[in-house]
Amino acid sequence: MADQPKPISPLKNLLAGGFGGVCLVFVGHPLDTVKVRLQTQPPSLPGQPPMYSGTFDCFRKTLIREIQASSGETKYTGTLDCAKKLYQEFGIRGIYKGTVLTLMRDVPASGMYFMTYEWLKNIFTPEGKRVSELSAPRILVAGGIAGIFNWAVAIPPDVLKSRFQTAPPGKYPNGFRDVLRELIRDEGVTSLYKGFNAVMIRAFPANAACFLGFEVAMKFLNWAIPNL
């Protein structure tokens, strides 16, 4: 008699997904910081070099700046302090600034992300084997490529989001339309892909780690607490 598929456990998926997210952040966060710095750098003046010449120059300057800032005064002492000050200054809207742009980025990009991952898992599964038996290297490749496809869709709205969230209050009264208009007018269509190299360098290893972390955590939970 063939093995019956195990019922899906929402709690196991929650725990395994959380662990996958930790793996993604642990691997990808440094280049995420570089990405935002590249996306929000102001256009250079005529005859002047840009603030950052590329991904690695941005990484080097960011590292130097953070080391120097560690001994000086900082605007926010941490996440909670930042949230408190944003709320005090701008109210609840300040904390949710950029929500529409985040949805414009994450809805299509996440759809592409999971569609690509599941499609590749099926392709990489040898004949006669189950998807759940996929080897770790193949999971890494499927997750990494899924991450690249995710960010190929997500970069333009992510650039707009970064610009909008870091702009002074009132600079863009019409929201992302003003950001888009300014970017294309001042820096051209290619400005919508600022930080592309940093994103793609980050995308494969970070998302490979995410899905590998999820699959490993799920297998561990199925072994440790099979009836959960």
Side-chain angles (χ1 to χ4, degrees), residues 110-124 131 134-135 138-147 149 207-208 210-216:
S110 295
M112 177 65 74
Y113 189 42
F114 289 102
M115 180 190 74
T116 304
Y117 179 62
E118 293 298 330
W119 174 62
L120 288 173
K121 280 205 306 180
N122 285 320
I123 288 178
F124 291 161
V131 173
L134 204 62
S135 65
R138 295 187 181 195
I139 291 172
L140 284 169
V141 173
I145 294 175
F149 275 75
N207 291 284
C210 175
F211 279 115
L212 181 63
F214 171 81
E215 299 289 353
V216 169

Side-chain angles (χ1 to χ4, degrees), residues 53-91:
S53 61
T55 299
F56 294 105
D57 180 56
C58 180
F59 183 86
R60 180 179 61 84
K61 289 178 179 176
T62 299
L63 185 61
I64 293 171
R65 187 179 295 115
E66 291 302 317
I67 291 172
Q68 292 172 341
S70 63
S71 59
E73 185 179 352
T74 55
K75 186 174 183 180
Y76 305 116
T77 59
T79 304
L80 294 178
D81 181 58
C82 177
K84 183 180 72 173
K85 289 178 178 176
L86 281 173
Y87 181 78
Q88 289 173 343
E89 191 170 355
F90 304 111

Side-chain angles (χ1 to χ4, degrees), residues 13-178:
N13 277 273
L14 176 66
L15 296 172
F19 182 73
V22 170
C23 294
L24 185 150
V25 172
F26 184 77
V27 173
H29 188 71
L31 279 169
D32 191 63
T33 301
V34 171
K35 169 185 73 73
V36 174
R37 291 285 175 90
L38 288 168
Q39 289 174 342
T40 57
Q41 67 173 322
S44 55
L45 297 173
Q48 296 293 321
M51 183 182 296
Y52 306 116
S53 61
T55 299
F56 294 105
D57 180 56
C58 180
F59 183 86
R60 180 179 61 84
K61 289 178 179 176
T62 299
L63 185 61
I64 293 171
R65 187 179 295 115
E66 291 302 317
I67 291 172
Q68 292 172 341
S70 63
S71 59
E73 185 179 352
T74 55
K75 186 174 183 180
Y76 305 116
T77 59
T79 304
L80 294 178
D81 181 58
C82 177
K84 183 180 72 173
K85 289 178 178 176
L86 281 173
Y87 181 78
Q88 289 173 343
E89 191 170 355
F90 304 111
I92 194 68
R93 293 185 65 181
I95 298 174
Y96 281 92
K97 185 178 181 180
T99 298
V100 172
L101 281 164
T102 302
L103 290 171
M104 289 173 62
R105 179 194 69 181
D106 286 355
V107 171
S110 295
M112 177 65 74
Y113 189 42
F114 289 102
M115 180 190 74
T116 304
Y117 179 62
E118 293 298 330
W119 174 62
L120 288 173
K121 280 205 306 180
N122 285 320
I123 288 178
F124 291 161
T125 301
E127 188 174 351
K129 297 284 188 178
R130 292 179 298 181
V131 173
S132 60
E133 298 172 334
L134 204 62
S135 65
R138 295 187 181 195
I139 291 172
L140 284 169
V141 173
I145 294 175
I148 290 172
F149 275 75
N150 169 81
W151 278 103
V153 173
I155 290 178
D158 189 62
V159 172
L160 297 177
K161 180 184 77 71
S162 296
R163 283 293 183 97
F164 182 69
Q165 288 178 324
T166 58
K171 182 175 181 180
Y172 301 118
N174 296 313
F176 74 89
R177 289 172 295 177
D178 286 349

